[in-house]
Amino acid sequence: MIAENQKAKLWGLSIIPTDQADLTLPQVSLPDAMSSAIQNRQELRQSDLAREINLLDQRLYRDQTKPEVDLVGSYGMVGNAGTLAGSNPLTTSSDQVRARVNQLSLLSGLPALPALPASTISPDLLGGYPQSLSNLGSNQFNNFRVGVSISLPLRNRTAAGQLGHSLMEGKRIATQREQLEQLIQVEVRNALQSLTTASARLRSAAIARSTAEQQYESEKRKLDVGQSTVFLVLERQTSLATARGNELRAQTDLNKSIAELQRATGNSLGANNVTVSVR
C-alpha cells in the first residue's frame, strides 16, 4: 500500500521485527473478566439503547390510548386599509329603492323618507399598501382565540395495535439481551480456557526446545570425540529446528489467545493504550 508501483524496491525487502513478543499473561479472574465484558462490550450498550427507545415508544402509544385534553390559543394581527371606490356596491340597490319611494311619496303628498346618517370611515383605514403595513405594525387590529380541545379515543385500535407491537418488541429485546449475555459469557470462558491451554503449550514447547538444544550440543561433543556420526548430528539439528518452530507457533497461539481475551472482555483498545476521541 505504500509502494509507488509494482517495480518498487520495497517489494524485495525483508521486514524484520525489532521488538520482542510480549508474552506476559494477563492476571484476570473469571468474575473480573465477566464484569469487564459487561461494562465494555458495545453490543450490550446497543441493547440498552434499544431498550430505552422501546420504553419511550411504549409510553407514547399508551398515552395515545387515553383521553386527550389540549388547551389551544392563537393571536393574530391584521393590516386593514384601503381606498374609496365611489358608491358602495352593497348599498347601491337600497339607494335606488329609497329614491323611487321618495318620488312616489312626493306625488302622493307624503313626506320623504328620512335621510340615512352619513357613514364615517376612520382615517387609519384609508390608504394603500403602506397604510396597511403601518396598521399591521401598530397592532391596532388584532384577534385572539382561546379554547379547550377534548379528544375521547373510542376503540382506538391503531394506538392499541402499536402499543401491543411495542410490548412484544420489548420482550424480544429482553430475550435478545439474555442471549447476548450468555454468548458473551461463553466467549469469555472459552478465551480464558484457551489462554490457559496456550500458556501450558508454550511451557511444554520451551522445555522441548531446551531439551533439543542440549541433545544437539551433546551430539556435537560426541562427534568431536568420534563417538557419533554426522547423520546423528543432522538428525539432532533437525529436531532442534522443529522444536524451535513449535515454540514459535506456541508463542503465536498465546498472543492470539491474549488478543481473543481482550476482544471478549471489550478491552482491546485500553490494553493497547489506544484512545478514541469523539468530536
Side-chain angles (χ1 to χ4, degrees), residues 40-232:
N40 299 328
R41 289 293 288 264
Q42 297 298 322
E43 300 93 325
L44 296 178
R45 294 186 180 181
Q46 293 178 357
S47 178
D48 293 338
L49 291 177
R51 181 176 56 185
E52 293 178 2
I53 293 174
N54 179 258
L55 292 177
L56 293 177
D57 290 340
Q58 292 182 20
R59 291 179 56 185
L60 173 62
Y61 297 141
R62 187 174 286 108
D63 289 341
Q64 290 180 354
T65 59
K66 299 178 181 179
E68 181 180 358
V69 179
D70 297 328
L71 177 64
V72 296
S74 64
Y75 181 85
M77 297 180 295
V78 181
N80 290 330
T83 58
L84 294 176
S87 60
N88 190 349
L90 300 178
T91 61
T92 300
S93 59
S94 300
D95 293 340
Q96 294 176 358
V97 172
R98 289 178 58 82
R100 184 58 177 168
V101 170
N102 289 336
Q103 291 177 1
L104 296 177
S105 298
L106 181 60
L107 294 176
S108 302
L110 298 175
L113 296 175
L116 295 175
S119 60
T120 59
I121 300 177
S122 175
D124 295 336
L125 297 177
L126 298 178
Y129 187 69
Q131 183 63 34
S132 178
L133 294 179
S134 177
N135 292 341
L136 183 63
S138 61
N139 194 19
Q140 296 186 22
F141 309 99
N142 51 39
N143 57 77
F144 58 88
R145 179 175 62 92
V146 178
V148 177
S149 175
I150 301 176
S151 176
L152 298 177
L154 300 177
R155 299 178 63 84
N156 191 349
R157 296 184 178 180
T158 301
Q162 291 175 342
L163 177 60
H165 181 271
S166 63
L167 293 176
M168 295 301 299
E169 182 69 13
K171 293 181 180 179
R172 187 190 67 82
I173 293 175
T175 303
Q176 187 178 16
R177 172 60 181 257
E178 294 179 359
Q179 294 177 351
L180 186 59
E181 290 180 352
Q182 292 178 359
L183 178 61
I184 291 176
Q185 183 178 5
V186 171
E187 290 181 353
V188 172
R189 289 180 180 272
N190 290 340
L192 285 175
Q193 183 64 33
S194 177
L195 181 64
T196 303
T197 304
S199 177
R201 188 183 302 114
L202 177 60
R203 291 194 299 269
S204 175
I207 295 175
R209 186 261 309 160
S210 177
T211 302
E213 289 178 349
Q214 295 176 5
Q215 291 178 349
Y216 174 65
E217 294 296 334
S218 176
E219 201 67 34
K220 286 175 58 179
R221 290 193 297 269
K222 291 172 64 177
L223 179 64
D224 293 338
V225 297
Q227 296 182 359
S228 181
T229 62
V230 176
F231 175 78
L232 294 177

Side-chain angles (χ1 to χ4, degrees), residues 22-39:
D22 186 9
L23 301 177
T24 303
L25 296 179
Q27 301 299 326
V28 58
S29 61
L30 180 59
D32 294 338
M34 290 294 181
S35 178
S36 178
I38 295 299
Q39 294 177 1

